[in-house]
Amino acid sequence: MICSKTTKKNSALKLYVRRVLVNEQFEELMPRYLNFIKGVVDSDDLPLNVSREQLQQDKMIKMMSKKLVRTAIHKMLKLAAAEVEDDDDEDEEDDEESEEDEKEEEDKKTDNKFLTFYENFGKNIKLGVIEDTANRSRLAKLLRFYSLKNAKDLISLDDYIGEMKEKQEDIYYFAGEEKDHMLSSPLIQKFKEKDINVLLLDDPIDEFCAQNLGEYEKKKLKNIAKGDIKFGDEDDLSKKKEKKIKEAFKVLVDWWKKLLGSSVETIKISKRLSDTACIITTSEYGYTANMARIQKAQAFTNQNKQDSTYMYGKKTLEINPDHPSIKDLREKVLKFEIPPSEVEDTATLLYDTALLTSGFQIEDPNSFSDRMDRVLKYNLNIDRFEKSSEFEVDMSEDDETKETAKEEEANLDEEAVNMDDLKVETEEEKADL
């Protein structure tokens, strides 16, 4: 087998029957995700005078295709297993090593055959997980991702499961555009505190792959930007406290939901925030910020506007009851039966910033800018609706201008005296003559 970086073409295997070339590029033997494999297939069971139409419908061809796919996956699994064996051998060595030995180990890791293969054809494996349901579980063993605990090295799903907490039930993942942004996202704050690992999916195809995989080794793959999160450490006391908090913030939640209207599906108390006031998540069937960005980039994304609007609109505003901004907003809503307009601006601005922090786009940037301007005026003790007025400048002469004028007058007087002296000299010269 020969590996090729071509991803746009279908796989092209040459088909021979009893060493006689029948088809030079027979695409039906390999699925699209294995398009990098090239080679020769020689069969003794097919007739020499077979036509292309007969080949496409022949049961023998389908059997050959299944065996070829299984062989290809087996070869990749074998290559990945060799990587694991190499890692185990390295773990048995002494921990005390010199800097030169460490550099040599890094070079060995760099030259790892499977990682090199995965860098080139990882997208093909992920496409196979999406399309090939029959071999999905076997292909899932080949997947490699970065993680919260190790953002520099790729790990497998087996490695992740081996490091899971005792009460952890799900495999957590977070899809985004760049690792640095994901690592600083508010959505990941609580996972850092509880020392729970999260897979970082930074490839556009990764989220599609994880959604189609669904579960691995009876562990569900859970997107931390969707639905409810349960860390597995909840007890009766924490549940009672959560219930009390919900009751205390019910007035704020109801008022805020009425203010935002259809922009959000629901508002609830968050379990995943530590230092951020609020965040936007989506329901299990809505688009995450990453998926919305990918879908909007597609050429034919607006063919069915009704479906896309439904998917984009399933947003949830999660608020942090421990944050000072949320506490103050609650007090102001409780204090006023009808909260003033500046409170409405503050609440809406918190929602807008939550959209940006979560990776979504603000639908009306002009309204956001005007609202920000009003809130800043209010904080500076300025009338929120005060219009721009002309800046008044004192046009009277200042001291510097007066001194400059005096110097100019003195210069003019001196020049006049010089001219008078010159005239006197010329008259005396005329008299002498």
Side-chain angles (χ1 to χ4, degrees), residues 223-320:
N223 192 333
I224 66 170
K226 279 189 171 187
D228 293 325
I229 294 293
K230 294 181 180 179
F231 296 101
D233 56 355
E234 294 86 359
D235 53 15
D236 293 337
L237 183 61
S238 62
K239 289 179 180 178
K240 287 181 181 179
K241 183 180 178 182
E242 181 183 346
K243 186 177 180 181
K244 292 286 186 182
I245 291 174
K246 284 183 179 179
E247 292 175 358
F249 280 83
K250 187 178 185 303
V251 175
L252 173 63
V253 168
D254 293 341
W255 172 80
W256 209 343
K257 176 65 178 72
K258 186 178 180 181
L259 176 66
L260 296 177
S262 59
S263 299
V264 295
E265 184 183 20
T266 184
I267 300 175
K268 62 182 182 181
I269 304 300
S270 180
K271 296 179 182 179
R272 66 189 103 202
L273 293 178
S274 296
D275 303 323
T276 305
C278 50
I279 203 75
I280 299 294
T281 59
T282 57
S283 65
E284 290 292 340
Y285 305 102
Y287 285 149
T288 60
N290 182 63
M291 188 66 75
R293 176 181 58 83
I294 294 172
Q295 290 291 342
K296 287 181 179 179
Q298 303 301 315
F300 302 101
T301 187
N302 293 322
Q303 283 187 338
N304 194 336
K305 292 185 178 180
Q306 186 175 359
D307 291 345
S308 62
T309 303
Y310 174 79
M311 297 299 288
Y312 288 127
K314 310 294 283 187
K315 294 184 179 69
T316 299
L317 176 63
E318 294 193 8
I319 61 175
N320 182 4

Side-chain angles (χ1 to χ4, degrees), residues 1-5 12-13 34-40 117 121:
M1 293 184 180
I2 301 174
C3 292
S4 171
K5 285 188 177 182
L13 296 179
L34 293 177
N35 58 3
F36 57 88
I37 295 177
K38 293 187 178 182
V40 174
F117 169 82
F121 305 110

Side-chain angles (χ1 to χ4, degrees), residues 154-409:
L154 295 167
I155 64 169
S156 66
L157 293 176
D158 290 321
D159 294 334
Y160 180 93
I161 292 175
E163 298 176 354
M164 284 176 61
K165 294 290 184 180
E166 185 178 351
K167 295 182 179 180
Q168 185 180 342
E169 298 178 355
D170 302 325
I171 298 173
Y172 296 112
Y173 71 89
F174 183 29
E177 194 170 3
E178 294 183 11
K179 285 187 296 181
D180 293 338
H181 294 168
M182 286 187 278
L183 289 170
S184 60
S185 172
L187 289 168
I188 218 163
Q189 290 174 358
K190 215 69 174 181
F191 293 89
K192 288 180 179 179
E193 285 185 9
K194 294 181 177 291
D195 195 31
I196 297 175
N197 203 8
V198 179
L199 297 175
L200 304 178
L201 281 55
D202 60 344
D203 195 333
I205 197 175
D206 284 347
E207 191 166 358
F208 293 96
C209 177
Q211 287 179 353
N212 281 271
L213 182 58
E215 66 176 31
Y216 179 78
E217 298 293 338
K218 297 182 180 179
K219 303 284 186 183
K220 289 185 178 180
L221 272 72
K222 175 69 176 175
N223 192 333
I224 66 170
K226 279 189 171 187
D228 293 325
I229 294 293
K230 294 181 180 179
F231 296 101
D233 56 355
E234 294 86 359
D235 53 15
D236 293 337
L237 183 61
S238 62
K239 289 179 180 178
K240 287 181 181 179
K241 183 180 178 182
E242 181 183 346
K243 186 177 180 181
K244 292 286 186 182
I245 291 174
K246 284 183 179 179
E247 292 175 358
F249 280 83
K250 187 178 185 303
V251 175
L252 173 63
V253 168
D254 293 341
W255 172 80
W256 209 343
K257 176 65 178 72
K258 186 178 180 181
L259 176 66
L260 296 177
S262 59
S263 299
V264 295
E265 184 183 20
T266 184
I267 300 175
K268 62 182 182 181
I269 304 300
S270 180
K271 296 179 182 179
R272 66 189 103 202
L273 293 178
S274 296
D275 303 323
T276 305
C278 50
I279 203 75
I280 299 294
T281 59
T282 57
S283 65
E284 290 292 340
Y285 305 102
Y287 285 149
T288 60
N290 182 63
M291 188 66 75
R293 176 181 58 83
I294 294 172
Q295 290 291 342
K296 287 181 179 179
Q298 303 301 315
F300 302 101
T301 187
N302 293 322
Q303 283 187 338
N304 194 336
K305 292 185 178 180
Q306 186 175 359
D307 291 345
S308 62
T309 303
Y310 174 79
M311 297 299 288
Y312 288 127
K314 310 294 283 187
K315 294 184 179 69
T316 299
L317 176 63
E318 294 193 8
I319 61 175
N320 182 4
D322 301 328
H323 197 276
S325 298
I326 301 299
K327 289 179 182 178
D328 184 64
L329 188 63
R330 173 182 171 273
E331 292 297 328
K332 288 181 178 177
V333 172
L334 289 172
K335 184 178 180 181
F336 303 105
E337 292 182 2
I338 302 176
S341 54
E342 59 263 20
V343 178
E344 294 182 355
D345 279 342
T346 303
T348 310
L349 192 60
L350 281 170
Y351 169 73
D352 290 337
T353 53
L355 280 174
L356 293 174
T357 307
S358 306
F360 290 94
Q361 291 183 347
I362 294 178
E363 296 179 0
D364 191 353
N366 293 326
S367 297
F368 171 74
S369 177
D370 293 340
R371 192 176 299 112
M372 177 69 79
D373 181 60
R374 291 197 299 269
V375 171
L376 288 174
K377 285 178 180 176
Y378 176 76
N379 290 330
L380 293 171
N381 295 322
I382 302 172
D383 183 6
R384 294 167 56 251
F385 299 100
E386 182 179 341
K387 299 295 183 181
S388 300
S389 58
E390 185 178 354
F391 183 75
E392 296 181 359
V393 180
D394 185 8
M395 300 302 294
S396 61
E397 294 182 347
D398 53 15
D399 295 337
E400 292 183 0
T401 307
K402 291 178 180 179
E403 290 179 359
T404 305
K406 288 180 180 179
E407 290 178 358
E408 290 179 354
E409 289 178 2

Side-chain angles (χ1 to χ4, degrees), residues 87 89-112:
D87 291 340
D89 292 340
E90 288 178 5
D91 292 338
E92 292 176 359
E93 295 178 359
D94 294 333
D95 294 333
E96 297 179 358
E97 296 173 339
S98 63
E99 293 183 359
E100 294 181 359
D101 293 336
E102 289 178 359
K103 289 181 180 180
E104 289 179 1
E105 283 188 3
E106 290 178 1
D107 293 338
K108 287 180 182 178
K109 289 180 180 179
T110 305
D111 296 335
N112 188 291

